[in-house]
Amino acid sequence: MTEIPDDHPRAESLRTRHRIEAGVEKGITSKQGLIAQGRGEAYDYLLGEETIPSAERAERAAAARLLLADHAVLSVNGNVAALVPGEMVELADAVGADLEVNLFNRTEERMAAIADHLRDHGATDVKGLAADARIPGLDHERAKVDEDGIHDADVVLVPLEDGDRAEALSEMGKTEIVVDLNPMSRSARVAAIPIIDNIVRAVPNVTEHARELKDASREELEAIVSEFDREAALEEAERAIRQGDLD
Ligand code: ATP
Ligand code: MG
């Protein structure tokens, strides 16, 4: 990989792109993952490649909701594994959640490569390989989840999830936290808490909020969650994209 100078105006975006490329080379990320990244980059560019205030609020609400969960699961796909493996492990530790590998195009090789990659980044228990339960309403491969993982969870964080599975999970009654740069995508629209931000900024931010809220009471956490307005957050993100300037 060529060195990207720090003063390059789009240095962070280029580094992120290289991490996805490396993920494909390592067998972690699928080729479709490259296309998903391209779509994400376009939205991020329009958002100014920064965490907008409504996303910051969503990240705080997500941290509170994860801390309130009986059983939270963080879903990891090939793009998430390439971009934020260590950050996902840290978030799981901060909120007491499980990590589960979940792929759009499931292959046993890629499942194993991602699980290994997460373990290399400090994960002790990685779910998703048992695949002993199903999400109703999805075709066979797409429906596979772990009985003691996503199937059992009350709260799931699904970054970059496709619309069908996001809808199916919400029909199962799960509280969904979605990270997606497109506020118009179905995934964002079905989420209880849509985080319209780049995963590389969103995950560390949620962790930071979770650490700050570690000693908060249930009442305080519940208040943060109920004050969060998902419709307003989606609208603000869409407005930011259309106007190209937030201030
Ligand atoms: P559906 O319409 O069913 O929701 P889709 O067409 O959106 O599916 P994909 O192309 O797989 O399906 O979607 C990828 C989504 O992930 C896009 O909305 C894109 O904006 C988002 N995305 C890609 N990279 C990132 C990233 N780094 N951080 C956050 N979101 C991202
Ligand atoms: Mg989508």
Side-chain angles (χ1 to χ4, degrees):
M1 170 176 139
T2 38
E3 275 302 308
I4 299 160
D6 284 334
D7 62 354
H8 188 290
R10 309 201 50 253
E12 198 48 48
S13 171
L14 293 174
R15 284 197 194 101
T16 303
R17 185 184 294 183
H18 283 302
R19 291 220 288 279
I20 291 282
E21 271 179 50
V24 174
E25 277 157 21
K26 273 193 231 159
I28 287 171
T29 310
S30 70
K31 286 185 190 154
Q32 280 90 344
L34 288 169
I35 295 167
Q37 171 67 20
R39 184 183 301 202
E41 275 183 18
Y43 284 106
D44 205 16
Y45 183 82
L46 294 169
L47 279 166
E49 292 168 351
E50 62 178 17
T51 300
I52 63 172
S54 56
E56 188 74 48
R57 291 200 297 278
E59 284 154 5
R60 190 167 178 80
R65 191 62 192 88
L66 287 167
L67 288 168
L68 284 166
D70 290 327
H71 181 195
V73 175
L74 316 182
S75 174
V76 179
N77 66 18
N79 287 49
V80 175
L83 294 177
V84 283
E87 292 84 347
M88 288 296 277
V89 174
E90 277 189 46
L91 176 57
D93 285 345
V95 298
D98 285 330
L99 289 165
E100 178 161 342
V101 184
N102 237 286
L103 303 182
F104 187 82
N105 296 301
R106 186 187 175 102
T107 68
E108 292 315 311
E109 295 74 38
R110 225 148 58 73
M111 293 293 295
I114 293 174
D116 284 346
H117 189 62
L118 289 171
R119 286 189 206 103
D120 288 346
H121 284 84
T124 44
D125 184 23
V126 180
K127 297 191 188 296
L129 302 165
D132 49 359
R134 300 286 178 268
I135 304 170
L138 293 178
D139 67 67
H140 185 70
E141 282 307 302
R142 308 283 333 291
K144 288 181 174 173
V145 284
D146 277 18
E147 172 65 53
D148 64 353
I150 287 179
H151 196 267
D152 176 67
D154 57 337
V155 180
V156 283
L157 174 89
V158 283
L160 285 62
E161 182 58 281
D162 94 296
D164 281 343
R165 193 152 54 189
E167 275 175 2
L169 286 170
S170 104
E171 271 161 34
M172 280 179 90
K174 315 268 179 220
T175 297
E176 270 186 279
I177 302 167
V178 164
V179 181
D180 193 318
L181 279 157
N182 176 5
M184 288 154 289
S185 88
R186 278 185 297 157
S187 328
R189 301 229 158 241
V190 296
I193 304 178
I195 300 175
I196 311 303
D197 199 4
N198 197 316
I199 182 96
V200 303
R201 297 188 298 268
V203 173
N205 276 351
V206 176
T207 304
E208 202 180 308
H209 283 293
R211 287 183 180 145
E212 208 182 288
L213 292 169
K214 192 167 59 75
D215 299 319
S217 66
R218 284 196 78 82
E219 290 69 27
E220 285 172 75
L221 296 174
E222 280 161 6
I224 292 168
V225 173
S226 67
E227 277 159 23
F228 174 72
D229 182 341
R230 57 180 298 287
E231 299 297 329
L234 290 170
E235 268 170 40
E236 265 178 59
E238 202 176 318
R239 206 178 318 127
I241 285 170
R242 289 185 194 282
Q243 292 176 348
D245 185 6
L246 322 161
D247 307 312

